[in-house]
Amino acid sequence: MTDPPSRRDALRLGVAAGLAAAPAGRATAADPPPDPHTPPREFLTRPKDFEDVSRGNPVPHTLKGDALVKARLTPETWRLEVVAEEPATVDKPLTLDLPGLRKLGEAHGVQFLKAMQCNNIARPLGQGLWEGVPLRDVLRLCGKLTNPRRVYYWGFHNDDPKQMFRSSLAVNQVLDAPPGELPPFLAYRLNGDPIPLTRGGPVRMVVPWAHGFKSIKWLQKVVLTNRYDANDTYAEKNNDPESYLKTAAYFDDPKDQAFPAGGPVVVRGTCMVGWPGLDRVEYWLRPAGGKLADDDPAWARAEWKPAAIDPPPADWGGGLPDGVLPKDVWGFTRDGKPREWPLRYSVAHWSLVLRGVAAGRYELRVRTVDRNGFAQPEPRPNPRSGRNQVQAKVVEVKG
Ligand SMILES: Nc1nc2c(c(=O)[nH]1)N[C@H]1C(S)=C(S)[C@@H](COP(=O)(O)O)O[C@H]1N2
Ligand SMILES: [Mo]
């Protein structure tokens, strides 16, 4: 996750006690330039640093040796089975191995940046450059499909149905993504390397627009069905099985923070850019006056001011060679520039560098406004379709 680099960055920015004793407005060697974009933060998460959300006992990624072979979770033993259940049928049920999938990738491969986010956990779990083959191009190998309405799929689950973690998509979502839009795909590379077992390798489903529960790890089975209902494990407990990623801001460090008077108040964080895109990030610094209820009139009087959004990073970090720009990645031009920024379904970084803040205790809130003009937490009817409460923390400037 982003914590360790951000803390390190905060230190480099001179937030550490003692460095900020210079009077406000006069730069010293210890007082950093007012550019909130330096130093760069890592844009991609190393695969091992993703937060893990995995069911199973034992969790599949702890299997070793023969157990791993038996589970068919090694690159050599991995197989994907594609079948249909009556009254849906496929002409040619399919068994695909990893070389077969990679071969398909040579003709149909896609690459794109996506943050993995659980709809029950606020902050994204990590962001990767995922590479794989659209599921539609795998289904094409099955010949004629009759009567399918949904695609059900799951991964290895220790032979115990109770440990099954499964998900589903409408067959239209799989087959009819508009050209140039992101299709659900079978991923076999993450940040340029084979997907490690811990992140669901050898092959993982990745559904670009969806929360993590659609992106099934250790994928082994795809079933075309005539059923119209979602079979998602995550539909239990009032989760919304069709939720799209939402736009929302998060603090790098959600803990309260103290700053010495006279120095800058520097706060950084990330935002998830969901399906509605990101127009801007805003902050509200309010003299602390106890907990603010949802219907407090202070909300209507709030003065939201713009925060800075980091530009595309020059160094993408997280395991790609230094300076490599993902020019072959969805959303980028041939010279490696993003067509829109920040990119949909990715994590963007924001920063606040506030100078001249008078000594005192404040509540700091940061929120996103999406491209439909909805400010977080709107327009959420159901918090279980993605956590996006406006986060708040106390910031104290010590006199
Ligand atoms: N097979 C399988 N796939 C799974 C899960 C699981 O428990 N088993 N958890 C899902 C959930 S709820 C989330 S949020 C993401 C988490 O992905 P990560 O562990 O790579 O961060 O994986 C999804 N895929
Ligand atoms: Mo999740």
Side-chain angles (χ1 to χ4, degrees):
M1 283 296 297
T2 45
D3 271 348
S6 62
R7 255 183 237 122
R8 194 184 63 218
D9 293 351
L11 287 170
R12 276 203 231 133
L13 276 167
V15 176
L19 286 182
R26 223 189 65 214
T28 69
D31 195 1
D35 178 3
H37 303 132
T38 53
R41 288 178 284 177
E42 295 219 318
F43 193 69
L44 299 180
T45 312
R46 285 177 177 75
K48 66 173 176 44
D49 294 338
F50 275 62
E51 261 170 64
D52 187 79
V53 182
S54 301
R55 289 195 179 189
N57 185 20
V59 174
H61 64 63
T62 61
L63 298 178
K64 289 190 173 66
D66 281 351
L68 206 55
V69 170
K70 202 167 149 265
R72 302 209 310 206
L73 286 178
T74 62
E76 298 74 29
T77 54
W78 179 83
R79 299 289 182 278
L80 176 72
E81 281 181 75
V82 183
V83 297
E85 62 180 20
E86 293 280 346
T89 61
V90 303
D91 269 4
K92 289 179 276 181
L94 181 73
T95 303
L96 194 63
D97 60 11
L98 196 54
L101 186 65
R102 288 212 186 99
K103 184 97 193 113
L104 278 175
E106 289 168 19
H108 303 289
V110 290
Q111 273 193 75
F112 79 105
L113 293 162
K114 173 189 166 61
M116 216 32 92
Q117 187 183 31
C118 182
N119 67 335
N120 292 321
I121 300 174
R123 283 202 303 176
L125 307 167
Q127 166 150 276
L129 177 65
W130 304 89
E131 186 180 340
V133 177
L135 179 54
R136 62 172 178 244
D137 292 303
V138 172
L139 294 187
R140 204 199 287 238
L141 302 178
C142 296
K144 192 166 150 51
L145 314 176
T146 311
N147 270 332
R149 288 196 283 180
R150 273 192 97 75
V151 180
Y152 288 179
Y153 52 92
W154 57 86
F156 174 75
H157 55 272
N158 301 336
D159 295 329
D160 176 357
K162 283 206 295 291
Q163 296 188 12
M164 181 182 264
F165 192 94
R166 61 189 181 186
S167 189
S168 69
L169 289 161
V171 84
N172 305 293
Q173 291 175 304
V174 174
L175 296 178
D176 300 328
E181 282 297 311
L182 294 167
F185 71 94
L186 277 47
Y188 52 81
R189 291 177 87 79
L190 173 57
N191 296 359
D193 291 318
I195 302 182
L197 194 61
T198 43
R199 289 280 70 70
V203 177
R204 170 179 197 164
M205 182 76 79
V206 171
V207 179
W209 60 76
H211 290 98
F213 67 89
K214 292 274 184 202
S215 294
I216 294 289
K217 294 180 277 197
W218 315 295
L219 182 74
Q220 294 186 333
K221 191 99 178 190
V222 169
V223 179
L224 291 149
T225 177
N226 184 245
R227 295 187 65 112
Y228 61 84
D229 52 331
N231 70 340
D232 296 46
T233 300
Y234 251 35
E236 298 155 11
K237 306 205 179 116
N238 201 26
N239 291 320
D240 172 3
E242 290 304 333
S243 64
Y244 283 81
L245 288 166
K246 311 295 190 294
T247 298
Y250 308 100
F251 292 117
D252 276 355
D253 181 357
K255 291 190 297 298
D256 296 347
Q257 265 180 294
F259 297 89
V265 170
V266 179
V267 181
R268 309 178 98 186
T270 52
C271 40
M272 185 67 222
V273 184
W275 204 32
L278 175 70
D279 184 67
R280 60 187 186 275
V281 178
E282 303 177 329
Y283 74 93
W284 173 23
L285 194 66
R286 169 183 180 261
K291 205 175 173 313
L292 201 57
D294 283 353
D295 57 355
D296 194 299
W299 283 104
R301 294 192 303 269
E303 271 186 61
W304 293 94
K305 296 180 183 161
I309 297 172
D310 286 14
D315 169 9
W316 295 82
L320 281 187
D322 277 359
V324 168
L325 282 176
K327 65 177 168 45
D328 300 322
V329 176
W330 181 87
F332 288 80
T333 60
R334 264 161 209 265
D335 53 351
K337 300 254 173 10
R339 290 178 205 280
E340 59 177 86
W341 192 259
L343 286 166
R344 245 179 298 159
Y345 316 136
S346 74
V347 158
H349 295 239
W350 55 263
S351 334
L352 290 177
V353 180
L354 309 178
R355 290 170 190 279
V357 180
R361 257 172 86 81
Y362 300 87
E363 278 172 1
L364 176 66
R365 288 184 172 74
V366 176
R367 71 175 186 186
T368 55
V369 179
D370 70 25
R371 292 198 177 173
N372 296 321
F374 280 103
Q376 192 187 327
E378 296 168 344
R380 205 65 55 252
N382 174 4
R384 299 195 70 94
S385 73
R387 294 276 169 102
N388 80 333
Q389 287 313 106
V390 176
Q391 296 193 336
K393 69 181 201 168
V394 171
V395 163
E396 197 173 352
V397 177
K398 301 219 172 184

